[in-house]
Amino acid sequence: MRGSGKLAAGALAGVLLAGAPAGTAAAAGDPVRAAVGHLVAEGGFPGAVAWVRNGEAVSRFGAGYANRVTREAAGPHHRFRTASNTKAFVATVVLRLAGEGALSLDDPIERRLPGVVRGPGYEPEKITLRMLLNHTSGVHDPLDPHFFDPYLVEGNRAYVYPPSEVIRRSLVDSPSFAPGTDVEYSNTGYLLLGKVIEQVTRNDVREEIQRRILDPLGLDRTYFPLRSPFLRGPHLHGYDLSGQDMTVFSPSYDWTAGAMVSTVDDLATFHRALLAGRLLKPAQQAELERLVPSGEFGAYGAGVETINLPCPGGPKTVWGNTGAGPGFYSVSMSTEDGSKQIVLALNVYDLAKDVAHEDPLPSSPLPAIAAALC
């Protein structure tokens, strides 16, 4: 199920790196602001919003339009669909449950969700929660090329895919590989983790995220929609490459893999707390940061990822998440030492192009990321 909220690491790196040597970030004055402005002025994005930290100095700004029709200026107060940035919130809840002894990352999915993972070649007794967290389970997304037809062909943007149906459709085809033998990005794995959270806590996963993360950190502009295709309050409008407005789109298919909505400030606060070890006990923080290489461009941890960022002095490993879904693309990354951080939200991502294995972005956001973190 390509396009369901995240590119695989190799494909993502290809999008980031295509035609974007690190040196293009250099500019007089504020190089990050210049690079973000370039994404709008010449890069093909109607709007962009950025939050940037260097040490304790923070700047937040927008460029271009939140809405192409009304020409409302894009600003840091605008919400956007975070797509796969959601996974870090979900992984945090799973890891906290592990720290409380409510579950073990070595638990097989069959123990936590008996009878759910059924399909040709699947071995649910060998698929652990850790494998779901770091994308080594072999559970893939729906391979049916018509999966997104209700939205993209039939035009029903409010169409509801219950998570259980997405899981069922994912398991129709054989697994990508035997559990633990390889790595491949899986949104469906995170739908299963959402089900595990609800099974263990006997509570709505959204309430667990609210109680454990959003409320303690004061993230009052972040929320987790279930079915509604509309965004609340001031928000960016998201577009495909043809300029079609994709803002109204049911998040149901993405659920715990990518349905959350946030702002650059809230996402920055969350990732800083998470990567600084303020949300997890040391043993679970180590699990978060235990990396599985996914090619030359980066690696996956438990709900987070690393990217080997090309910098003038040589590659630099940065940590965080990226998110890609209909109309929206975002990056939330920090340097390994936590001294520099950027959250960048852009309002073009072409789901139909992604499904067709074509480039879903008008240009690479790498210069802005490199300007902030190199």
mmCIF file of all heavy atoms in Angstrom, residues 336-355:
data_model
loop_
_atom_site.group_PDB
_atom_site.id
_atom_site.type_symbol
_atom_site.label_atom_id
_atom_site.label_comp_id
_atom_site.label_asym_id
_atom_site.label_seq_id
_atom_site.Cartn_x
_atom_site.Cartn_y
_atom_site.Cartn_z
ATOM 1 N N GLU A 336 22.088 14.178 16.212
ATOM 2 C CA GLU A 336 22.274 13.140 17.233
ATOM 3 C C GLU A 336 22.471 13.725 18.632
ATOM 4 O O GLU A 336 21.996 13.163 19.624
ATOM 5 C CB GLU A 336 23.474 12.245 16.869
ATOM 6 C CG GLU A 336 23.156 11.202 15.820
ATOM 7 C CD GLU A 336 24.249 10.167 15.695
ATOM 8 O OE1 GLU A 336 25.302 10.484 15.129
ATOM 9 O OE2 GLU A 336 24.034 9.029 16.172
ATOM 10 N N ASP A 337 23.151 14.866 18.711
ATOM 11 C CA ASP A 337 23.390 15.463 20.028
ATOM 12 C C ASP A 337 22.230 16.353 20.481
ATOM 13 O O ASP A 337 22.270 16.915 21.578
ATOM 14 C CB ASP A 337 24.700 16.254 20.040
ATOM 15 C CG ASP A 337 24.696 17.440 19.072
ATOM 16 O OD1 ASP A 337 23.653 17.721 18.431
ATOM 17 O OD2 ASP A 337 25.748 18.107 18.956
ATOM 18 N N GLY A 338 21.198 16.466 19.662
ATOM 19 C CA GLY A 338 20.026 17.247 20.043
ATOM 20 C C GLY A 338 20.204 18.743 19.971
ATOM 21 O O GLY A 338 19.299 19.493 20.338
ATOM 22 N N SER A 339 21.324 19.218 19.461
ATOM 23 C CA SER A 339 21.587 20.660 19.468
ATOM 24 C C SER A 339 20.863 21.414 18.361
ATOM 25 O O SER A 339 20.640 22.626 18.472
ATOM 26 C CB SER A 339 23.092 20.917 19.359
ATOM 27 O OG SER A 339 23.594 20.454 18.113
ATOM 28 N N LYS A 340 20.499 20.708 17.303
ATOM 29 C CA LYS A 340 19.795 21.346 16.185
ATOM 30 C C LYS A 340 18.563 20.525 15.829
ATOM 31 O O LYS A 340 18.576 19.287 15.936
ATOM 32 C CB LYS A 340 20.707 21.467 14.961
ATOM 33 C CG LYS A 340 21.909 22.383 15.162
ATOM 34 C CD LYS A 340 22.735 22.480 13.883
ATOM 35 C CE LYS A 340 23.922 23.414 14.062
ATOM 36 N NZ LYS A 340 24.714 23.543 12.807
ATOM 37 N N GLN A 341 17.536 21.210 15.374
ATOM 38 C CA GLN A 341 16.254 20.535 15.115
ATOM 39 C C GLN A 341 15.474 21.323 14.075
ATOM 40 O O GLN A 341 15.530 22.557 14.044
ATOM 41 C CB GLN A 341 15.461 20.456 16.428
ATOM 42 C CG GLN A 341 14.155 19.704 16.368
ATOM 43 C CD GLN A 341 13.465 19.661 17.721
ATOM 44 O OE1 GLN A 341 13.920 20.288 18.692
ATOM 45 N NE2 GLN A 341 12.350 18.947 17.807
ATOM 46 N N ILE A 342 14.746 20.599 13.220
ATOM 47 C CA ILE A 342 13.843 21.250 12.271
ATOM 48 C C ILE A 342 12.559 20.444 12.151
ATOM 49 O O ILE A 342 12.583 19.212 12.162
ATOM 50 C CB ILE A 342 14.484 21.425 10.871
ATOM 51 C CG1 ILE A 342 13.531 22.185 9.934
ATOM 52 C CG2 ILE A 342 14.883 20.085 10.266
ATOM 53 C CD1 ILE A 342 14.147 22.573 8.586
ATOM 54 N N VAL A 343 11.447 21.145 12.077
ATOM 55 C CA VAL A 343 10.173 20.560 11.654
ATOM 56 C C VAL A 343 9.712 21.372 10.456
ATOM 57 O O VAL A 343 9.590 22.599 10.539
ATOM 58 C CB VAL A 343 9.113 20.600 12.765
ATOM 59 C CG1 VAL A 343 7.817 19.957 12.262
ATOM 60 C CG2 VAL A 343 9.616 19.894 14.021
ATOM 61 N N LEU A 344 9.493 20.697 9.361
ATOM 62 C CA LEU A 344 9.118 21.347 8.104
ATOM 63 C C LEU A 344 7.867 20.693 7.554
ATOM 64 O O LEU A 344 7.817 19.474 7.396
ATOM 65 C CB LEU A 344 10.266 21.214 7.088
ATOM 66 C CG LEU A 344 10.030 21.741 5.671
ATOM 67 C CD1 LEU A 344 9.860 23.258 5.689
ATOM 68 C CD2 LEU A 344 11.186 21.333 4.755
ATOM 69 N N ALA A 345 6.844 21.503 7.304
ATOM 70 C CA ALA A 345 5.593 21.005 6.732
ATOM 71 C C ALA A 345 5.376 21.646 5.372
ATOM 72 O O ALA A 345 5.440 22.872 5.236
ATOM 73 C CB ALA A 345 4.419 21.325 7.655
ATOM 74 N N LEU A 346 5.110 20.801 4.366
ATOM 75 C CA LEU A 346 4.897 21.241 2.995
ATOM 76 C C LEU A 346 3.539 20.753 2.515
ATOM 77 O O LEU A 346 3.051 19.714 2.961
ATOM 78 C CB LEU A 346 5.996 20.684 2.089
ATOM 79 C CG LEU A 346 7.425 21.093 2.473
ATOM 80 C CD1 LEU A 346 8.442 20.208 1.766
ATOM 81 C CD2 LEU A 346 7.667 22.555 2.162
ATOM 82 N N ASN A 347 2.911 21.495 1.610
ATOM 83 C CA ASN A 347 1.529 21.150 1.262
ATOM 84 C C ASN A 347 1.342 20.649 -0.169
ATOM 85 O O ASN A 347 0.365 20.988 -0.843
ATOM 86 C CB ASN A 347 0.570 22.307 1.569
ATOM 87 C CG ASN A 347 0.904 23.595 0.846
ATOM 88 O OD1 ASN A 347 1.940 23.706 0.196
ATOM 89 N ND2 ASN A 347 0.022 24.579 0.972
ATOM 90 N N VAL A 348 2.266 19.804 -0.618
ATOM 91 C CA VAL A 348 2.061 19.003 -1.830
ATOM 92 C C VAL A 348 2.570 17.587 -1.574
ATOM 93 O O VAL A 348 3.695 17.405 -1.090
ATOM 94 C CB VAL A 348 2.790 19.579 -3.059
ATOM 95 C CG1 VAL A 348 2.697 18.605 -4.237
ATOM 96 C CG2 VAL A 348 2.206 20.919 -3.472
ATOM 97 N N TYR A 349 1.741 16.632 -1.866
ATOM 98 C CA TYR A 349 2.166 15.227 -1.953
ATOM 99 C C TYR A 349 1.126 14.522 -2.810
ATOM 100 O O TYR A 349 -0.068 14.550 -2.504
ATOM 101 C CB TYR A 349 2.260 14.556 -0.586
ATOM 102 C CG TYR A 349 2.973 13.212 -0.668
ATOM 103 C CD1 TYR A 349 4.360 13.148 -0.630
ATOM 104 C CD2 TYR A 349 2.260 12.029 -0.825
ATOM 105 C CE1 TYR A 349 5.025 11.930 -0.737
ATOM 106 C CE2 TYR A 349 2.921 10.816 -0.930
ATOM 107 C CZ TYR A 349 4.305 10.773 -0.883
ATOM 108 O OH TYR A 349 4.956 9.577 -0.996
ATOM 109 N N ASP A 350 1.587 13.905 -3.893
ATOM 110 C CA ASP A 350 0.672 13.319 -4.867
ATOM 111 C C ASP A 350 0.518 11.823 -4.624
ATOM 112 O O ASP A 350 1.377 11.025 -4.993
ATOM 113 C CB ASP A 350 1.183 13.580 -6.283
ATOM 114 C CG ASP A 350 0.104 13.391 -7.337
ATOM 115 O OD1 ASP A 350 -0.581 12.344 -7.298
ATOM 116 O OD2 ASP A 350 -0.066 14.288 -8.182
ATOM 117 N N LEU A 351 -0.572 11.449 -3.975
ATOM 118 C CA LEU A 351 -0.826 10.053 -3.644
ATOM 119 C C LEU A 351 -0.919 9.176 -4.885
ATOM 120 O O LEU A 351 -0.377 8.068 -4.924
ATOM 121 C CB LEU A 351 -2.115 9.943 -2.825
ATOM 122 C CG LEU A 351 -2.594 8.540 -2.468
ATOM 123 C CD1 LEU A 351 -1.567 7.807 -1.635
ATOM 124 C CD2 LEU A 351 -3.933 8.609 -1.732
ATOM 125 N N ALA A 352 -1.608 9.672 -5.928
ATOM 126 C CA ALA A 352 -1.757 8.873 -7.147
ATOM 127 C C ALA A 352 -0.402 8.594 -7.791
ATOM 128 O O ALA A 352 -0.152 7.493 -8.301
ATOM 129 C CB ALA A 352 -2.676 9.589 -8.136
ATOM 130 N N LYS A 353 0.485 9.578 -7.779
ATOM 131 C CA LYS A 353 1.838 9.372 -8.319
ATOM 132 C C LYS A 353 2.584 8.337 -7.493
ATOM 133 O O LYS A 353 3.299 7.480 -8.033
ATOM 134 C CB LYS A 353 2.607 10.691 -8.343
ATOM 135 C CG LYS A 353 2.057 11.725 -9.299
ATOM 136 C CD LYS A 353 2.305 11.356 -10.739
ATOM 137 C CE LYS A 353 1.908 12.492 -11.676
ATOM 138 N NZ LYS A 353 2.077 12.126 -13.104
ATOM 139 N N ASP A 354 2.437 8.418 -6.179
ATOM 140 C CA ASP A 354 3.106 7.460 -5.306
ATOM 141 C C ASP A 354 2.613 6.046 -5.590
ATOM 142 O O ASP A 354 3.415 5.116 -5.707
ATOM 143 C CB ASP A 354 2.838 7.843 -3.850
ATOM 144 C CG ASP A 354 3.656 7.030 -2.864
ATOM 145 O OD1 ASP A 354 4.468 6.195 -3.285
ATOM 146 O OD2 ASP A 354 3.474 7.238 -1.651
ATOM 147 N N VAL A 355 1.307 5.874 -5.715
ATOM 148 C CA VAL A 355 0.738 4.564 -6.013
ATOM 149 C C VAL A 355 1.282 4.027 -7.332
ATOM 150 O O VAL A 355 1.514 2.828 -7.484
ATOM 151 C CB VAL A 355 -0.803 4.641 -6.042
ATOM 152 C CG1 VAL A 355 -1.407 3.349 -6.577
ATOM 153 C CG2 VAL A 355 -1.359 4.941 -4.642
#
